[in-house]
Structure formats: C-alpha cells, structure tokens
Amino acid sequence: MEKRTYLFSLFLFLTFFVFLFFFPFCPLEPADVIEMVRHANEICDAYQFEPYITLNTVNPRCLEAVINIAFDRDDAERTQQAQKCVDEMLERYLAVGMVPYRVGVQDMSRLVDETDPFWRTVRDLKSAVDPNHIISPRRYNLV
C-alpha cells in the first residue's frame, strides 16, 4: 500500500471511529496471560468487536494490557454496545482478580471501597494536601 493511501485510510479510520480502552494488570505467568487474552476475546466476540490488545511487561512479575475496541461514534447502538462490552470486561476482570490500573470516573465507585483501610488512608492523605477537594475530585479516592 502506498504511503499516501495508507495515511488517507488512517485519517478516515480515526475520523469516523472512536476507541474505548480497558487496562487490566495480571501476573506475568503464561496461564494468567492466556486467561487475560481469552477473557477479552470472549467478551468482545459476544458484542461483535475485535479487541486490539497490547501487552506490556511492568516488572518481572506483572504484565499490563491495553485492550481497546473501535466503533463508529455516529452509531448510537454500537456506542452503547461498546460501553456494555467495556463494563463487562471490568466485571469479569475484577471477578478473577485482574484489577485495572486505570478506569473512567464513571467506574470509580466499582474500585474505590469506603470500607477498605487503604482507600480511607488515601482519602485522609488527599484531604491533608487538598482540603477543598479541588484536585481530581472522586478520582481514585473517596473525596
């Protein structure tokens, strides 16, 4: 494919499509990595999306994934299906202990637990440095 044709195709793709992302962690063990990819494929297949998956080694024990799906932003039904797909990924990965390292503000309540001592400590630290709760309210914390 000529460079000009490729760039035009890329322009069209990026103009009409948007992406939703999901970012789980998993142990850097073959069985866990296979499980992570299997879950993404199963869920995306159910919603008729192709998962684009990037795997990155964080350290000798941990792997992060970037799982994204592309869809036409002008198609309301596909947009809704894409959000449901990502919601199901969050549920499934949390259920198997593969916690995402990043979520949208709409999903904070699914990660941040008011009864967890860790999150109460994060709240107390944030309140000490940001008593008016101006910096990133309710993102990765209780306030």
Side-chain angles (χ1 to χ4, degrees):
M1 180 183 284
E2 286 184 40
K3 184 176 181 179
R4 183 185 295 171
T5 304
Y6 171 77
L7 291 176
F8 183 70
S9 297
L10 181 61
F11 168 77
L12 287 177
F13 184 77
L14 295 175
T15 300
F16 295 105
F17 286 84
V18 294
F19 296 89
L20 283 181
F21 298 88
F22 186 70
F23 308 97
F25 279 124
C26 84
L28 188 53
E29 295 292 333
D32 293 310
V33 176
I34 290 168
E35 180 183 11
M36 174 189 281
V37 172
R38 182 179 55 79
H39 288 308
N41 284 322
E42 286 176 1
I43 294 166
C44 289
D45 284 350
Y47 291 93
Q48 298 178 344
F49 288 108
E50 180 68 33
Y52 301 102
I53 304 171
T54 303
L55 303 173
N56 303 305
T57 304
V58 175
N59 61 40
R61 296 173 296 147
C62 183
L63 179 109
E64 67 177 7
V66 177
I67 304 169
N68 58 72
I69 55 175
F71 57 96
D72 181 348
R73 67 172 146 215
D74 293 329
D75 184 333
E77 184 177 338
R78 287 306 278 162
T79 300
Q80 185 179 41
Q81 290 290 71
Q83 189 57 59
K84 286 181 181 178
C85 181
V86 172
D87 288 346
E88 188 171 331
M89 278 195 266
L90 178 58
E91 289 296 324
R92 172 95 56 100
Y93 284 102
L94 286 175
V96 298
M98 294 183 187
V99 178
Y101 63 89
R102 184 173 184 170
V103 297
V105 70
Q106 74 278 3
D107 292 319
M108 284 298 146
S109 63
R110 297 163 84 179
L111 290 182
V112 178
D113 179 1
E114 293 184 21
T115 64
D116 187 322
F118 172 79
W119 291 113
R120 289 197 308 257
T121 301
V122 170
R123 176 200 58 212
D124 295 345
L125 289 170
K126 183 175 184 303
S127 292
V129 288
D130 181 21
N132 295 321
H133 311 298
I134 295 168
I135 302 168
S136 299
R138 307 225 23 105
R139 289 196 168 106
Y140 301 102
N141 62 71
L142 297 169
V143 293

